[in-house]
Amino acid sequence: MKQNGTELGYNSKVEGDVVVTKADAVINWVRSHSVWPMPMGLACCAIELMGASASRFDIARFGMEVMRFSPRQSDCMIVAGTVTYKMAPAVRRIYDQMAEPKWVVAMGACASTGGMYRSYATMQGVDHVVPVDVYISGCPPRPEALLDGMMRLQEKIRTEHSSRELLGGREEQMKLRA
Amino acid sequence: MSAGEGVDSGPATGTGELLDSLGPRFEGLEPRPTTDHPATRCRAEFIRPLLKTLRDEYGYLMLMDVTAVDWDEESPRFTVFYHLLNPKTAQYARVSVDCLDDDEPEVPSVVSLFAAAEWHERETYDMFGIRFTDHPDLRRILMWEGYPYFPLRKEFPLAGIETELPDSEVGEATEAKVLPAPMMGGPFVAQSGQPMSASEPRGRDESWTEHHHRPEDFDALEGPEQPETLEDRSGDKPRIED
Protein backbone atom coordinates (compact mmCIF):
# COMPACT_ATOMS: atom_id res chain seq x y z
CA MET A 1 0.00 0.00 0.00
CA LYS A 2 1.70 3.18 -1.20
CA GLN A 3 0.61 6.43 0.35
CA ASN A 4 2.38 9.74 -0.11
CA GLY A 5 5.63 7.97 -0.69
CA THR A 6 5.49 6.17 2.63
CA GLU A 7 5.53 2.38 2.65
CA LEU A 8 2.80 1.32 5.04
CA GLY A 9 2.77 -2.32 4.10
CA TYR A 10 4.58 -4.84 6.22
CA ASN A 11 6.63 -7.65 4.86
CA SER A 12 7.54 -10.06 7.65
CA LYS A 13 10.10 -11.89 5.54
CA VAL A 14 12.15 -8.75 5.09
CA GLU A 15 11.53 -6.91 8.31
CA GLY A 16 11.00 -9.61 10.91
CA ASP A 17 8.99 -8.40 13.88
CA VAL A 18 9.82 -4.77 13.37
CA VAL A 19 7.82 -2.24 11.37
CA VAL A 20 9.65 0.88 10.37
CA THR A 21 7.64 3.87 9.23
CA LYS A 22 7.08 7.55 9.90
CA ALA A 23 5.11 8.78 12.90
CA ASP A 24 3.11 11.01 10.55
CA ALA A 25 2.15 8.03 8.42
CA VAL A 26 0.92 6.02 11.38
CA ILE A 27 -1.00 8.85 13.03
CA ASN A 28 -2.58 9.95 9.76
CA TRP A 29 -3.44 6.38 8.86
CA VAL A 30 -5.23 5.96 12.17
CA ARG A 31 -6.98 9.30 11.97
CA SER A 32 -8.09 8.98 8.38
CA HIS A 33 -9.63 5.58 8.91
CA SER A 34 -11.69 6.43 11.94
CA VAL A 35 -13.26 9.79 11.18
CA TRP A 36 -16.21 10.29 13.49
CA PRO A 37 -18.57 12.65 11.73
CA MET A 38 -20.90 15.06 13.44
CA PRO A 39 -23.96 15.44 11.21
CA MET A 40 -24.81 19.14 11.14
CA GLY A 41 -28.02 18.44 9.22
CA LEU A 42 -29.70 21.75 8.39
CA ALA A 43 -31.70 20.99 5.25
CA CYS A 44 -32.37 18.39 2.56
CA CYS A 45 -28.67 17.49 2.23
CA ALA A 46 -29.07 15.76 5.57
CA ILE A 47 -31.39 13.24 3.90
CA GLU A 48 -28.62 12.29 1.46
CA LEU A 49 -26.26 12.13 4.41
CA MET A 50 -28.60 9.61 6.01
CA GLY A 51 -28.69 7.72 2.72
CA ALA A 52 -24.91 7.60 2.67
CA SER A 53 -24.82 6.04 6.11
CA ALA A 54 -27.45 3.39 5.34
CA SER A 55 -26.76 -0.02 3.85
CA ARG A 56 -26.82 0.78 0.14
CA PHE A 57 -23.97 3.30 0.21
CA ASP A 58 -22.53 2.21 3.54
CA ILE A 59 -20.21 4.93 4.77
CA ALA A 60 -18.93 2.30 7.24
CA ARG A 61 -16.63 1.07 4.48
CA PHE A 62 -14.49 4.13 5.20
CA GLY A 63 -14.66 3.89 8.96
CA MET A 64 -17.07 6.81 9.25
CA GLU A 65 -20.22 5.11 10.38
CA VAL A 66 -20.01 6.41 13.94
CA MET A 67 -22.15 9.53 13.54
CA ARG A 68 -22.03 11.34 16.83
CA PHE A 69 -24.52 14.02 17.71
CA SER A 70 -22.24 15.42 20.35
CA PRO A 71 -19.40 17.68 19.20
CA ARG A 72 -17.29 16.37 22.08
CA GLN A 73 -17.20 12.91 20.55
CA SER A 74 -16.67 13.75 16.90
CA ASP A 75 -13.88 15.13 14.77
CA CYS A 76 -15.47 15.96 11.41
CA MET A 77 -18.42 18.30 11.10
CA ILE A 78 -20.46 17.63 7.97
CA VAL A 79 -22.45 20.80 7.37
CA ALA A 80 -25.35 19.42 5.34
CA GLY A 81 -27.73 22.17 4.36
CA THR A 82 -28.56 25.85 4.30
CA VAL A 83 -26.81 27.92 6.93
CA THR A 84 -28.96 30.89 7.89
CA TYR A 85 -27.49 33.85 9.68
CA LYS A 86 -29.54 32.89 12.68
CA MET A 87 -27.99 29.40 12.70
CA ALA A 88 -24.42 30.40 11.82
CA PRO A 89 -23.30 31.32 15.36
CA ALA A 90 -24.62 27.98 16.61
CA VAL A 91 -22.60 26.15 13.92
CA ARG A 92 -19.50 28.03 15.01
CA ARG A 93 -20.07 27.29 18.68
CA ILE A 94 -20.54 23.59 17.99
CA TYR A 95 -17.36 23.65 15.94
CA ASP A 96 -15.56 25.29 18.85
CA GLN A 97 -16.74 22.51 21.15
CA MET A 98 -15.17 19.79 19.02
CA ALA A 99 -11.82 18.49 20.19
CA GLU A 100 -8.74 18.82 17.97
CA PRO A 101 -7.94 17.52 15.45
CA LYS A 102 -11.12 18.45 13.60
CA TRP A 103 -12.24 18.92 10.05
CA VAL A 104 -15.24 20.47 8.33
CA VAL A 105 -16.98 19.27 5.19
CA ALA A 106 -19.36 21.68 3.46
CA MET A 107 -21.88 19.38 1.85
CA GLY A 108 -23.89 20.78 -1.03
CA ALA A 109 -24.35 24.13 -2.72
CA CYS A 110 -25.93 25.88 0.26
CA ALA A 111 -23.26 25.07 2.79
CA SER A 112 -20.54 25.86 0.25
CA THR A 113 -21.82 29.13 -1.20
CA GLY A 114 -25.36 29.81 -0.06
CA GLY A 115 -26.63 28.02 -3.16
CA MET A 116 -29.90 29.24 -4.57
CA TYR A 117 -30.66 31.20 -1.43
CA ARG A 118 -29.33 34.60 -2.39
CA SER A 119 -31.21 36.49 0.21
CA TYR A 120 -30.93 38.54 3.36
CA ALA A 121 -31.39 35.50 5.58
CA THR A 122 -28.79 33.05 4.28
CA MET A 123 -25.08 33.00 4.96
CA GLN A 124 -23.30 32.75 1.61
CA GLY A 125 -21.14 29.78 2.55
CA VAL A 126 -20.39 28.30 5.94
CA ASP A 127 -16.70 29.14 5.42
CA HIS A 128 -17.51 32.61 6.72
CA VAL A 129 -17.62 31.18 10.23
CA VAL A 130 -15.73 27.86 10.19
CA PRO A 131 -12.66 26.70 8.21
CA VAL A 132 -13.84 24.24 5.56
CA ASP A 133 -11.60 21.38 4.38
CA VAL A 134 -13.73 19.86 1.64
CA TYR A 135 -16.53 21.39 -0.44
CA ILE A 136 -18.99 19.02 -2.11
CA SER A 137 -21.03 20.29 -5.04
CA GLY A 138 -24.61 19.24 -5.69
CA CYS A 139 -28.09 20.25 -4.69
CA PRO A 140 -28.23 17.99 -2.83
CA PRO A 141 -25.15 15.88 -3.63
CA ARG A 142 -25.82 12.20 -4.09
CA PRO A 143 -24.40 9.87 -1.44
CA GLU A 144 -21.64 8.87 -3.87
CA ALA A 145 -20.57 12.51 -4.03
CA LEU A 146 -20.46 12.67 -0.25
CA LEU A 147 -18.41 9.49 -0.12
CA ASP A 148 -16.04 10.93 -2.73
CA GLY A 149 -15.72 14.08 -0.66
CA MET A 150 -15.01 12.07 2.47
CA MET A 151 -12.36 10.07 0.62
CA ARG A 152 -10.74 13.36 -0.38
CA LEU A 153 -10.84 14.40 3.23
CA GLN A 154 -9.03 11.16 4.07
CA GLU A 155 -6.41 12.03 1.46
CA LYS A 156 -6.06 15.45 3.00
CA ILE A 157 -5.68 14.01 6.49
CA ARG A 158 -2.88 11.77 5.19
CA THR A 159 -0.87 14.82 4.10
CA GLU A 160 -0.96 16.54 7.50
CA HIS A 161 2.11 17.00 9.69
CA SER A 162 0.44 15.28 12.60
CA SER A 163 3.47 14.37 14.69
CA ARG A 164 4.89 17.87 14.52
CA GLU A 165 1.51 19.23 15.47
CA LEU A 166 1.26 16.81 18.35
CA LEU A 167 4.82 17.23 19.63
CA GLY A 168 5.71 20.68 18.41
CA GLY A 169 3.19 22.60 20.43
CA ARG A 170 0.62 25.12 19.47
CA GLU A 171 2.87 27.92 18.23
CA GLU A 172 4.63 25.80 15.67
CA GLN A 173 1.32 24.39 14.63
CA MET A 174 -0.03 27.81 13.89
CA LYS A 175 3.16 28.63 11.96
CA LEU A 176 2.71 25.51 9.90
CA ARG A 177 -0.83 26.40 9.02
CA ALA A 178 -0.04 30.02 8.21
CA MET B 1 -58.36 49.81 -5.97
CA SER B 2 -61.60 51.32 -4.81
CA ALA B 3 -64.02 49.25 -2.81
CA GLY B 4 -67.01 47.87 -4.65
CA GLU B 5 -65.31 47.55 -8.03
CA GLY B 6 -65.21 44.03 -9.30
CA VAL B 7 -67.08 42.64 -6.33
CA ASP B 8 -68.67 39.35 -7.20
CA SER B 9 -67.70 39.76 -10.82
CA GLY B 10 -67.05 36.38 -12.38
CA PRO B 11 -67.82 33.44 -10.14
CA ALA B 12 -70.14 34.12 -7.24
CA THR B 13 -68.04 34.59 -4.14
CA GLY B 14 -70.71 35.11 -1.53
CA THR B 15 -69.31 38.45 -0.37
CA GLY B 16 -72.70 40.05 -0.83
CA GLU B 17 -74.58 37.52 1.29
CA LEU B 18 -72.03 37.66 4.08
CA LEU B 19 -72.08 41.44 4.11
CA ASP B 20 -75.87 41.64 4.04
CA SER B 21 -76.09 39.87 7.37
CA LEU B 22 -72.93 41.30 8.95
CA GLY B 23 -73.05 44.83 7.60
CA PRO B 24 -75.62 46.25 10.00
CA ARG B 25 -73.76 44.89 13.02
CA PHE B 26 -70.28 46.23 12.25
CA GLU B 27 -69.80 49.78 11.21
CA GLY B 28 -67.50 50.41 8.28
CA LEU B 29 -67.61 46.89 6.89
CA GLU B 30 -66.91 47.11 3.16
CA PRO B 31 -66.65 44.54 0.42
CA ARG B 32 -63.20 43.96 -1.11
CA PRO B 33 -62.59 43.12 -4.75
CA THR B 34 -62.21 39.36 -4.94
CA THR B 35 -62.31 36.54 -7.46
CA ASP B 36 -62.50 33.56 -5.14
CA HIS B 37 -63.75 33.84 -1.57
CA PRO B 38 -65.95 36.34 0.24
CA ALA B 39 -63.74 39.24 1.23
CA THR B 40 -64.43 42.21 3.46
CA ARG B 41 -62.52 45.15 4.78
CA CYS B 42 -62.96 45.86 8.45
CA ARG B 43 -61.96 48.64 10.78
CA ALA B 44 -59.21 47.79 13.25
CA GLU B 45 -61.37 48.27 16.34
CA PHE B 46 -63.94 45.74 15.05
CA ILE B 47 -61.58 42.96 14.01
CA ARG B 48 -61.92 41.00 17.24
CA PRO B 49 -65.73 41.13 17.48
CA LEU B 50 -66.01 40.42 13.75
CA LEU B 51 -63.78 37.32 13.86
CA LYS B 52 -65.60 36.17 17.00
CA THR B 53 -68.93 36.47 15.21
CA LEU B 54 -67.61 34.65 12.16
CA ARG B 55 -66.23 31.90 14.37
CA ASP B 56 -69.19 31.44 16.70
CA GLU B 57 -72.17 32.19 14.45
CA TYR B 58 -70.97 31.47 10.93
CA GLY B 59 -68.87 28.38 11.57
CA TYR B 60 -65.53 29.81 10.49
CA LEU B 61 -63.72 27.78 13.11
CA MET B 62 -60.28 27.71 11.64
CA LEU B 63 -57.84 30.55 11.17
CA MET B 64 -55.79 29.46 8.17
CA ASP B 65 -53.45 32.39 7.77
CA VAL B 66 -52.58 35.85 8.96
CA THR B 67 -50.38 37.92 6.74
CA ALA B 68 -49.97 41.46 5.50
CA VAL B 69 -49.39 43.53 2.40
CA ASP B 70 -47.12 46.55 2.11
CA TRP B 71 -48.65 48.94 -0.45
CA ASP B 72 -45.44 50.99 -0.60
CA GLU B 73 -46.30 54.62 -1.43
CA GLU B 74 -50.00 54.34 -0.74
CA SER B 75 -51.73 55.20 2.48
CA PRO B 76 -52.80 53.26 4.45
CA ARG B 77 -49.52 51.52 3.78
CA PHE B 78 -50.09 48.22 5.58
CA THR B 79 -53.08 45.91 5.36
CA VAL B 80 -53.35 42.81 7.54
CA PHE B 81 -55.22 39.83 6.10
CA TYR B 82 -56.98 36.99 7.89
CA HIS B 83 -58.05 33.84 6.09
CA LEU B 84 -60.75 31.80 7.78
CA LEU B 85 -62.13 28.38 6.94
CA ASN B 86 -65.54 26.93 7.67
CA PRO B 87 -64.72 23.21 7.82
CA LYS B 88 -68.36 22.14 7.42
CA THR B 89 -69.03 23.97 4.17
CA ALA B 90 -65.39 24.09 3.06
CA GLN B 91 -65.89 27.83 2.57
CA TYR B 92 -63.12 30.35 3.05
CA ALA B 93 -63.48 33.97 4.03
CA ARG B 94 -60.99 36.78 3.85
CA VAL B 95 -60.98 39.73 6.21
CA SER B 96 -58.63 42.65 5.85
CA VAL B 97 -57.73 45.43 8.24
CA ASP B 98 -55.92 48.61 7.24
CA CYS B 99 -53.33 49.87 9.68
CA LEU B 100 -54.08 53.53 10.35
CA ASP B 101 -50.52 54.54 11.20
CA ASP B 102 -48.10 54.14 8.29
CA ASP B 103 -44.97 54.52 10.41
CA GLU B 104 -45.89 52.44 13.43
CA PRO B 105 -48.61 50.08 12.17
CA GLU B 106 -50.71 48.46 14.83
CA VAL B 107 -53.59 45.99 14.85
CA PRO B 108 -55.37 44.24 17.75
CA SER B 109 -54.20 40.68 18.24
CA VAL B 110 -56.72 37.85 17.76
CA VAL B 111 -54.76 35.27 19.77
CA SER B 112 -57.54 35.27 22.38
CA LEU B 113 -59.92 33.96 19.67
CA PHE B 114 -57.62 31.72 17.64
CA ALA B 115 -54.55 30.17 19.22
CA ALA B 116 -53.23 29.62 15.71
CA ALA B 117 -52.83 33.36 15.33
CA GLU B 118 -49.93 33.50 17.75
CA TRP B 119 -47.14 32.42 15.44
CA HIS B 120 -48.78 33.96 12.36
CA GLU B 121 -48.86 37.32 14.10
CA ARG B 122 -45.29 36.92 15.27
CA GLU B 123 -44.25 36.22 11.69
CA THR B 124 -46.17 39.21 10.39
CA TYR B 125 -44.53 41.36 13.04
CA ASP B 126 -41.12 39.93 12.15
CA MET B 127 -41.46 40.55 8.43
CA PHE B 128 -43.48 43.79 8.32
CA GLY B 129 -43.05 45.37 11.74
CA ILE B 130 -46.77 45.45 12.40
CA ARG B 131 -47.37 45.38 16.14
CA PHE B 132 -50.26 43.26 17.37
CA THR B 133 -51.55 44.81 20.56
CA ASP B 134 -52.31 42.42 23.43
CA HIS B 135 -50.29 39.64 21.81
CA PRO B 136 -49.01 37.45 24.67
CA ASP B 137 -45.47 37.05 23.32
CA LEU B 138 -44.73 39.34 20.39
CA ARG B 139 -41.14 38.42 19.53
CA ARG B 140 -39.47 37.86 16.21
CA ILE B 141 -39.95 34.31 14.99
CA LEU B 142 -37.77 33.88 11.86
CA MET B 143 -35.12 36.54 12.19
CA TRP B 144 -33.25 36.85 15.45
CA GLU B 145 -34.07 39.15 18.32
CA GLY B 146 -32.30 42.45 17.74
CA TYR B 147 -32.32 42.33 13.94
CA PRO B 148 -32.86 45.96 12.99
CA TYR B 149 -34.95 45.60 9.82
CA PHE B 150 -38.27 44.21 8.60
CA PRO B 151 -37.36 42.21 5.49
CA LEU B 152 -40.68 42.11 3.64
CA ARG B 153 -41.16 45.86 3.65
CA LYS B 154 -40.87 47.36 0.20
CA GLU B 155 -37.85 49.51 0.99
CA PHE B 156 -35.83 46.47 2.13
CA PRO B 157 -33.59 45.12 -0.67
CA LEU B 158 -33.84 41.43 -1.48
CA ALA B 159 -30.08 41.06 -1.02
CA GLY B 160 -30.29 42.30 2.55
CA ILE B 161 -28.45 45.00 4.46
CA GLU B 162 -25.10 44.69 6.19
CA THR B 163 -25.41 44.25 9.92
CA GLU B 164 -23.87 42.29 12.78
CA LEU B 165 -24.24 38.56 13.40
CA PRO B 166 -26.81 37.61 16.05
CA ASP B 167 -24.01 36.43 18.33
CA SER B 168 -21.49 39.21 18.89
CA GLU B 169 -18.85 36.84 20.34
CA VAL B 170 -18.89 34.67 17.25
CA GLY B 171 -18.98 37.80 15.11
CA GLU B 172 -15.80 39.06 16.79
CA ALA B 173 -14.02 35.71 16.63
CA THR B 174 -14.78 35.05 12.98
CA GLU B 175 -15.05 38.65 11.73
CA ALA B 176 -18.14 37.45 9.90
CA LYS B 177 -21.02 39.80 9.25
CA VAL B 178 -24.49 39.66 7.82
CA LEU B 179 -23.74 40.82 4.28
CA PRO B 180 -25.92 41.59 1.27
CA ALA B 181 -26.19 38.44 -0.83
CA PRO B 182 -24.77 38.51 -4.34
CA MET B 183 -27.67 38.94 -6.75
CA MET B 184 -25.66 38.76 -9.97
CA GLY B 185 -26.58 35.65 -11.93
CA GLY B 186 -29.15 34.75 -9.32
CA PRO B 187 -32.75 33.81 -9.91
CA PHE B 188 -34.20 37.28 -9.47
CA VAL B 189 -31.91 39.32 -11.69
CA ALA B 190 -32.64 39.85 -15.36
CA GLN B 191 -29.88 38.51 -17.61
CA SER B 192 -28.82 40.53 -20.62
CA GLY B 193 -30.90 39.54 -23.60
CA GLN B 194 -33.56 37.94 -21.43
CA PRO B 195 -36.07 40.62 -20.54
CA MET B 196 -38.24 40.06 -17.51
CA SER B 197 -41.81 41.15 -17.33
CA ALA B 198 -42.65 43.92 -14.91
CA SER B 199 -44.57 41.52 -12.70
CA GLU B 200 -41.59 39.26 -12.03
CA PRO B 201 -39.66 39.74 -8.81
CA ARG B 202 -36.23 41.17 -9.20
CA GLY B 203 -33.31 42.11 -7.06
CA ARG B 204 -30.74 44.77 -7.63
CA ASP B 205 -27.22 43.44 -7.37
CA GLU B 206 -25.67 45.33 -4.50
CA SER B 207 -23.08 42.75 -3.75
CA TRP B 208 -19.34 42.69 -3.53
CA THR B 209 -19.26 40.43 -6.58
CA GLU B 210 -20.36 43.11 -9.00
CA HIS B 211 -17.04 44.62 -10.02
CA HIS B 212 -18.03 44.87 -13.64
CA HIS B 213 -20.32 47.06 -15.63
CA ARG B 214 -23.45 45.77 -17.22
CA PRO B 215 -23.52 45.97 -21.02
CA GLU B 216 -26.00 48.81 -21.04
CA ASP B 217 -23.67 50.88 -18.85
CA PHE B 218 -21.02 50.96 -21.56
CA ASP B 219 -23.16 53.15 -23.79
CA ALA B 220 -23.07 55.80 -21.13
CA LEU B 221 -19.37 55.33 -20.36
CA GLU B 222 -16.86 57.73 -21.86
CA GLY B 223 -13.07 57.93 -21.83
CA PRO B 224 -10.10 55.65 -22.40
CA GLU B 225 -10.97 53.00 -19.83
CA GLN B 226 -13.83 51.66 -21.86
CA PRO B 227 -12.00 48.99 -23.89
CA GLU B 228 -10.09 47.83 -20.83
CA THR B 229 -13.14 47.17 -18.73
CA LEU B 230 -14.84 45.48 -21.63
CA GLU B 231 -11.99 43.02 -21.84
CA ASP B 232 -12.00 42.46 -18.09
CA ARG B 233 -15.63 41.67 -18.20
CA SER B 234 -15.39 39.03 -20.90
CA GLY B 235 -13.19 36.77 -18.76
CA ASP B 236 -15.29 36.82 -15.67
CA LYS B 237 -18.89 36.48 -16.69
CA PRO B 238 -20.44 33.06 -16.71
CA ARG B 239 -21.55 32.32 -20.24
CA ILE B 240 -23.44 29.61 -21.95
CA GLU B 241 -21.17 27.99 -24.52
CA ASP B 242 -22.73 27.07 -27.81
Side-chain angles (χ1 to χ4, degrees):
Chain A
M1 193 163 48
K2 196 99 164 131
Q3 283 166 344
N4 307 320
T6 311
E7 193 76 41
L8 284 177
Y10 167 63
N11 187 335
S12 61
K13 279 181 195 153
V14 178
E15 295 167 60
D17 294 334
V18 181
V19 177
V20 180
T21 181
K22 284 192 203 163
D24 270 358
V26 175
I27 296 167
N28 290 342
W29 176 73
V30 170
R31 282 181 179 174
S32 66
H33 285 94
S34 75
V35 174
W36 287 28
M38 136 94 224
M40 192 79 219
L42 301 173
C44 39
C45 281
I47 305 296
E48 299 299 303
L49 177 58
M50 287 177 233
S53 56
S55 54
R56 185 179 176 92
F57 298 100
D58 194 13
I59 203 169
R61 290 177 292 158
F62 309 97
M64 299 168 186
E65 75 278 18
V66 196
M67 298 265 176
R68 290 288 155 159
F69 294 88
S70 162
R72 310 279 186 201
Q73 299 173 353
S74 43
D75 50 17
C76 170
M77 181 194 266
I78 301 178
V79 184
T82 318
V83 185
T84 59
Y85 282 118
K86 200 176 179 182
M87 190 66 192
V91 174
R92 173 67 195 198
R93 279 185 186 274
I94 290 170
Y95 173 80
D96 285 340
Q97 286 167 18
M98 288 163 63
E100 296 269 2
K102 54 189 170 186
W103 300 275
V104 177
V105 173
M107 180 181 179
C110 290
S112 302
T113 66
M116 60 181 265
Y117 296 103
R118 302 184 181 204
S119 86
Y120 59 90
T122 308
M123 179 165 266
Q124 303 295 305
V126 73
D127 50 7
H128 283 104
V129 286
V130 292
V132 175
D133 293 279
V134 176
Y135 298 85
I136 302 171
S137 65
C139 185
R142 283 194 53 89
E144 295 97 319
L146 175 67
L147 293 179
D148 185 58
M150 295 306 282
M151 285 157 76
R152 291 191 184 223
L153 178 66
Q154 286 185 322
E155 276 165 30
K156 188 177 180 184
I157 293 172
R158 285 185 203 125
T159 62
E160 285 178 356
H161 301 284
S162 311
S163 55
R164 255 193 285 175
E165 283 185 21
L166 277 174
L167 305 170
R170 191 76 192 168
E171 292 87 39
E172 198 180 334
Q173 198 185 116
M174 297 319 284
K175 257 185 259 161
L176 275 172
R177 290 200 171 171
Chain B
M1 254 191 282
S2 68
E5 261 175 36
V7 174
D8 281 357
S9 65
T13 59
T15 304
E17 295 143 47
L18 201 65
L19 275 183
D20 283 345
S21 56
L22 280 169
R25 298 170 59 180
F26 298 97
E27 201 189 322
L29 213 59
E30 295 170 12
R32 271 188 69 81
T34 175
T35 53
D36 44 12
H37 312 300
T40 68
R41 182 183 289 132
C42 167
R43 282 203 216 156
E45 66 259 40
F46 292 128
I47 184 64
R48 247 179 277 182
L50 175 65
L51 289 198
K52 190 169 164 49
T53 309
L54 284 171
R55 182 189 72 176
D56 296 342
E57 296 171 31
Y58 291 79
Y60 289 97
L61 300 177
M62 215 168 152
L63 182 70
M64 302 299 291
D65 197 11
V66 179
T67 184
V69 171
D70 180 354
W71 299 109
D72 205 7
E73 306 277 291
E74 288 173 41
S75 185
R77 183 178 165 184
F78 294 101
T79 307
V80 179
F81 287 86
Y82 301 83
H83 286 128
L84 299 151
L85 171 68
N86 182 336
K88 268 200 183 140
T89 60
Q91 262 281 323
Y92 288 90
R94 185 181 305 124
V95 179
S96 74
V97 175
D98 292 330
C99 301
L100 295 179
D101 195 331
D102 289 351
D103 299 317
E104 285 174 28
E106 222 177 56
V107 163
S109 166
V110 296
V111 175
S112 54
L113 299 171
F114 296 97
E118 186 179 346
W119 281 17
H120 284 311
E121 287 181 353
R122 275 179 68 184
E123 188 186 359
T124 309
Y125 162 66
D126 192 356
M127 293 289 122
F128 292 93
I130 297 168
R131 297 203 73 86
F132 290 85
T133 49
D134 301 326
H135 189 284
D137 182 26
L138 194 66
R139 287 177 293 133
R140 284 182 177 270
I141 192 169
L142 298 171
M143 305 306 281
W144 56 94
E145 214 50 45
Y147 186 70
Y149 306 105
F150 300 110
L152 285 192
R153 286 192 175 186
K154 290 290 182 204
E155 77 267 13
F156 187 88
L158 181 64
I161 298 172
E162 182 174 329
T163 175
E164 297 301 316
L165 278 188
D167 189 324
S168 59
E169 272 180 43
V170 170
E172 275 168 36
T174 60
E175 291 172 16
K177 280 184 153 192
V178 175
L179 293 168
M183 288 286 127
M184 188 168 61
F188 300 121
V189 180
Q191 310 271 315
S192 56
Q194 297 173 338
M196 296 172 90
S197 77
S199 62
E200 275 180 284
R202 63 189 62 208
R204 208 147 40 91
D205 191 354
E206 297 163 54
S207 68
W208 60 88
T209 64
E210 185 145 87
H211 302 302
H212 305 294
H213 295 285
R214 289 167 181 278
E216 56 266 30
D217 296 338
F218 285 98
D219 301 332
L221 263 185
E222 285 170 32
E225 56 191 293
Q226 188 173 339
E228 237 180 275
T229 39
L230 261 171
E231 262 177 45
D232 282 358
R233 193 179 64 84
S234 60
D236 208 27
K237 264 223 156 151
R239 279 162 185 235
I240 299 158
E241 303 287 335
D242 289 319

